[in-house]
Amino acid sequence: MRKDGRKNDEMRLIKLTKDYIKHPEGSVLIEFGDTKVICNASVTEGVPLFLKGRNKGWVTAEYSMLPRATETRSFRESQKGKLSGRTQEISRLIGRSLRSIIDMNILGERTILIDCDVIQADGGTRTASSAGGYLAMSLAVKWLMNHGHIENYPIKGYVCAVSAGVVGSSIVLDLNYEEDAQAGVDLNIVGTSDNKIIELQGTAEKSPFERKELLEMIDMGFKGISTIYEAQKNLLEGCC
């Protein structure tokens, strides 16, 4: 049993709020326990230069964290004049993950830009952002269909993401900040609802770990992905 009362293979409480911001074509507030991320999807006509004239769309993402999302205030990256490597890496992870399950040919020459803004951080911000970004994109696609911009649904599956790690001698699911800070191994899993892997990010924070531990973390991760999928499915099937 963990400090917050969860079993090792138990997710934090997942809460999803649709249309959290009224202006974007798709908007969701996603909460994994005390981690809260606003995910907005904006649809614009046109695509990057490398796609012009190919009648294909594009999906990209930007990730950021409010200065007081954490226990102590962080500097706004705009004041530094550049994005941190971590921010760029997470933005690219979200974009890659979402592009993996959408048919760009159906989307046409338009771009969906996902903004993931962490308003409160307690571990798992990149995984919550990926899962919430998927929902915002899905809502934006439904908006496109409802307004007659596209005829067919281009999204081919669900994108879910969760963390797993080794804390002490135990493998645990969906690490909060305190657990993440103590973890000897940290793994982020982006997967689909039909048990396929989109991306794995795994690191030995203290010492190398066994391959069998990796497989155990992946199996536990997909248990969490199943829980996330059910929450996503309930939100999307209950709207539009």
Side-chain angles (χ1 to χ4, degrees):
M1 192 73 69
R2 296 145 83 175
K3 285 186 179 180
D4 59 8
R6 286 185 292 150
K7 297 177 182 177
N8 287 347
D9 62 352
E10 187 177 353
M11 290 286 299
R12 290 175 288 179
L13 179 65
I14 299 172
K15 184 177 178 182
L16 306 173
T17 306
K18 184 175 74 72
D19 300 332
Y20 190 73
I21 304 295
K22 71 177 184 179
H23 299 295
E25 285 72 37
S27 179
V28 170
L29 170 67
I30 184 167
E31 302 176 54
F32 281 11
D34 285 335
T35 288
K36 303 180 180 185
V37 187
I38 300 172
C39 301
N40 294 322
S42 301
V43 177
T44 59
E45 294 299 317
V47 291
L49 282 174
F50 70 91
L51 284 174
K52 279 191 177 295
R54 297 173 60 182
N55 199 32
K56 295 177 67 173
W58 186 245
V59 174
T60 189
E62 294 184 11
Y63 166 96
S64 66
M65 187 179 294
L66 292 185
R68 206 51 215 273
T70 53
E71 220 171 84
T72 57
R73 186 184 186 278
S74 59
F75 286 100
R76 291 186 188 273
E77 293 189 338
S78 60
Q79 297 299 311
K80 296 180 180 179
K82 64 177 182 179
L83 298 177
S84 70
R86 177 181 182 275
T87 293
Q88 293 181 63
E89 184 249 324
I90 295 175
S91 297
R92 290 167 181 158
L93 166 68
I94 299 166
R96 284 194 303 270
S97 300
L98 299 183
R99 288 192 295 272
S100 74
I101 50 84
I102 187 167
D103 188 332
M104 300 296 182
N105 294 302
I106 294 176
L107 197 58
E109 288 205 5
R110 53 180 56 89
T111 297
I112 301 178
L113 196 154
I114 314 296
D115 288 295
C116 298
D117 292 291
V118 180
I119 60 174
Q120 185 168 283
D122 186 30
T125 62
R126 75 183 65 199
T127 54
S129 295
S130 298
Y134 166 80
L135 288 171
M137 180 181 73
S138 298
L139 292 171
V141 164
K142 288 178 181 287
W143 181 91
L144 284 168
M145 294 187 71
N146 291 340
H147 286 76
H149 297 296
I150 59 176
E151 293 183 3
N152 299 312
Y153 193 64
I155 298 177
K156 299 173 286 187
Y158 282 71
V159 171
C160 312
V162 71
S163 65
V166 179
V167 180
S169 59
S170 300
I171 293 177
V172 297
L173 179 68
D174 188 24
L175 284 67
N176 61 26
Y177 176 77
E178 182 180 2
E179 291 170 332
D180 187 59
Q182 297 173 358
V185 180
D186 185 22
L187 179 70
N188 294 300
I189 306 159
V190 185
T192 66
S193 57
D194 56 351
N195 294 321
K196 293 179 181 176
I197 293 171
I198 296 173
E199 186 156 342
L200 296 176
Q201 297 181 333
T203 304
E205 302 287 356
K206 296 176 181 177
S207 60
F209 57 99
E210 301 288 342
R211 282 181 290 179
K212 67 177 183 179
E213 290 179 296
L214 173 62
L215 295 177
E216 289 177 34
M217 284 187 283
I218 292 172
D219 287 342
M220 187 177 285
F222 272 99
K223 182 174 182 179
I225 281 171
S226 177
T227 301
I228 297 166
Y229 162 65
E230 289 298 329
Q232 291 175 321
K233 183 181 175 183
N234 289 338
L235 181 137
L236 292 177
E237 289 186 350
C239 73
C240 315

